[in-house]
Amino acid sequence: MASNMITSLVVTNFKALHQTIIPFEKNTFLIGINGSGKTTILQAVDFISAVVTGKVEEWLDQRGWKKKELTFYGSPRKLIEFDIDYQLDGESFRWSFSFNRDLLKCTYERFVSNGRVLLTVKEGHFSSLNETKEKINFQYVGSIVSVLKQEILPQEIVDSKKFFSNIKSAELLSPILMKKRARQAMGDVGLGGEKLSAFISELPLEKRNELLNEIKKFFPKVFSIETRSIKGGWKELAMYENFDANKLKIESRHLSDGFLRILAILSQLLTTESVLLFDEIEDGVNQELVKLLMQFIVNSPHQTIIATHSPLILNYLEDEMAKRSILFVYRCLDGSVRVINFFDAVMKFQKLSKQEMELFGPGEWMQSVDLVELSKLLATQE
């Protein structure tokens, strides 16, 4: 288990997540039919980062959303509620907040560790470590910790802010965007990988060498990945391959989709110290390289949450890990999203015994089940 990770999330009134409970492992895999809510779960986790940094407006602009679209199917109810259980260096925490979609800020917050209240925001006041309440006479967006000075916060809150700030989402990785030039990355390849060239350019030499060594395991003929600055501060990416008779330079616009996708994923895994969010990492990658990529992800010290439609991805998981980490996402009759452990759901609703399940690999569990019928069956049980 990762030492720093989100262990569970309870979300009310965020898009299709309406009183949705989501348990997380060090590596969590979300499966389900199209439109079941897998991507919405990734967005909810990424939203936490926007709230803690106060960058909610930028987050909405990046996705092209209006603030009224944050709530459950245009619900008139303005409050979005999150209860986040997480661990930092082996210590357990809970951060609860109520976010007002019209004001774009948390009107209620509470950070707790082992029964000890670290910070409270309520009725226009805040207090730290149960000290005297102070009136909030300043403006902020998202969480109050986005603007409070570090010196007045408990160290646990400072560490929590850093952890949630470093959540990175690459759920919309697009080879077309990754081939483009970029100016600045600020530690993030971007939702669609659009900052990849700048991100690599900004890496310290040690990390660039580490990235090169890892990419060589996937593409042995690669001997260099380079960026160059061009007019206006734009960064351009190129890859060099070593063949017996020739050394070839390949500009970013000619790089393969699979290479760019793997490069972006490895770049984030080697640098981020928090939670990484990916959607369909298998796209454009052949199965031998998917196996290597899965080994890299599972062995990474960071928490990953991955939405996938691929049984192949799941077959590279050890059985015991798969039993804990594969979650089935489905919609209830009212359109709200629910989550259930996939292994438990198959045994309970498909009437397969534990012994029968153990005859197959995790990907075969997925292939042996009609996911549409399972979704319908689960919906009627709510």
Side-chain angles (χ1 to χ4, degrees):
M1 181 177 285
S3 58
N4 298 338
M5 62 178 285
I6 297 172
T7 54
S8 73
L9 191 58
V10 182
V11 187
T12 301
N13 205 32
F14 177 85
K15 294 191 71 184
L17 305 180
H18 191 57
Q19 299 179 335
T20 305
I21 302 169
I22 313 153
F24 292 110
E25 292 288 324
K26 186 259 183 184
N27 303 110
T28 299
F29 298 87
L30 306 173
I31 67 170
I33 62 175
N34 289 329
S36 60
K38 302 183 296 300
T39 301
T40 305
I41 292 172
L42 299 182
Q43 292 164 348
V45 177
D46 194 38
F47 183 66
I48 296 168
S49 181
V51 169
V52 84
T53 56
K55 296 180 179 178
V56 179
E57 291 168 298
E58 295 95 320
W59 190 87
L60 289 169
D61 288 343
Q62 188 179 31
R63 295 174 180 274
W65 294 359
K66 299 174 182 177
K67 57 187 181 182
K68 67 179 181 181
E69 295 173 328
L70 283 170
T71 47
F72 184 69
Y73 295 111
S75 166
R77 188 166 181 265
K78 299 175 182 179
L79 290 183
I80 298 167
E81 297 171 352
F82 275 63
D83 289 304
I84 308 153
D85 290 321
Y86 60 104
Q87 292 184 348
L88 295 180
D89 298 322
E91 189 173 353
S92 297
F93 296 85
R94 169 170 282 198
W95 175 27
S96 301
F97 67 78
S98 295
F99 177 89
N100 186 304
R101 71 161 193 216
D102 290 347
L103 301 177
L104 290 182
K105 71 176 184 180
C106 298
T107 52
Y108 169 82
E109 292 187 69
R110 195 167 186 256
F111 284 88
V112 180
S113 173
N114 297 320
R116 180 168 159 256
V117 180
L118 303 172
L119 181 72
T120 302
V121 175
K122 189 177 181 180
E123 297 174 346
H125 293 75
F126 78 95
S127 63
S128 179
L129 295 174
N130 284 325
E131 294 179 359
T132 306
K133 292 181 181 179
E134 293 189 42
K135 186 175 177 58
I136 300 172
N137 54 12
F138 48 86
Q139 297 297 317
Y140 63 95
V141 174
S143 168
I144 197 170
V145 303
S146 68
V147 295
L148 289 179
K149 291 183 178 180
Q150 206 166 283
E151 307 87 74
I152 70 169
L153 292 171
Q155 185 59 45
E156 296 95 330
I157 300 290
V158 175
D159 294 340
S160 297
K161 180 182 177 182
K162 180 181 177 183
F163 171 68
F164 290 121
S165 299
N166 283 329
I167 293 172
K168 303 297 181 189
S169 177
E171 80 211 42
L172 299 176
L173 281 183
S174 162
I176 293 174
L177 294 177
M178 288 186 276
K179 292 176 183 182
K180 291 183 177 292
R181 301 163 178 172
R183 272 204 181 99
Q184 273 189 318
M186 305 293 287
D188 186 2
V189 302
L191 263 183
E194 66 277 6
K195 302 177 187 177
L196 181 61
S197 58
F199 180 86
I200 293 175
S201 176
E202 293 168 11
L203 287 178
L205 181 60
E206 179 186 353
K207 282 294 179 185
R208 291 187 70 159
N209 289 336
E210 189 178 356
L211 176 60
L212 178 60
N213 289 334
E214 294 301 336
I215 205 73
K216 283 180 176 179
K217 295 175 183 177
F218 292 81
F219 304 95
K221 292 191 179 296
V222 173
F223 73 89
S224 181
I225 299 169
E226 297 183 7
T227 57
R228 69 184 184 100
S229 295
I230 55 178
K231 189 176 179 180
W234 294 92
K235 306 297 187 299
E236 199 170 51
L237 179 67
M239 179 262 282
Y240 292 80
E241 287 186 307
N242 194 0
F243 288 85
D244 292 340
N246 220 343
K247 288 183 171 61
L248 302 179
K249 177 183 178 181
I250 304 176
E251 302 282 359
S252 60
R253 63 184 178 274
H254 299 300
L255 289 170
S256 73
D257 293 0
F259 177 85
L260 286 166
R261 200 170 189 83
I262 290 171
L263 182 63
I265 292 170
L266 294 184
S267 296
Q268 290 282 225
L269 284 167
L270 287 170
T271 55
T272 301
E273 297 178 0
S274 185
V275 186
L276 291 170
L277 311 171
F278 297 115
D279 200 351
E280 299 185 29
I281 59 170
E282 66 275 8
D283 278 5
V285 182
N286 66 281
Q287 66 179 39
E288 292 80 11
L289 297 187
V290 167
K291 181 178 181 181
L292 269 178
L293 188 58
M294 281 295 293
Q295 289 172 349
F296 196 91
I297 288 169
V298 169
N299 292 330
S300 163
H302 312 311
Q303 184 177 26
T304 58
I305 304 171
I306 298 169
T308 182
H309 288 283
S310 172
L312 183 64
I313 288 281
L314 306 184
N315 268 341
Y316 294 132
L317 298 174
E318 293 182 0
D319 286 355
E320 289 306 311
M321 176 187 289
K323 289 174 186 176
R324 299 190 307 271
S325 64
I326 302 173
L327 301 179
F328 185 68
V329 185
Y330 64 98
R331 302 288 280 275
C332 298
L333 298 178
D334 66 353
S336 61
V337 170
R338 292 289 184 272
V339 172
I340 188 171
N341 178 284
F342 183 58
F343 185 82
D344 293 343
V346 173
M347 283 202 301
K348 181 177 180 181
F349 293 101
Q350 297 295 314
K351 309 301 182 185
L352 294 178
S353 68
K354 188 175 181 180
Q355 291 73 23
E356 288 174 311
M357 289 286 285
E358 288 174 350
L359 293 174
F360 305 105
E364 292 166 317
W365 304 342
M366 184 175 174
Q367 288 179 307
S368 67
V369 174
D370 186 326
L371 300 185
V372 174
E373 288 303 315
L374 180 58
S375 297
K376 290 178 180 177
L377 188 59
L378 289 167
T380 60
Q381 302 293 316
E382 289 293 331

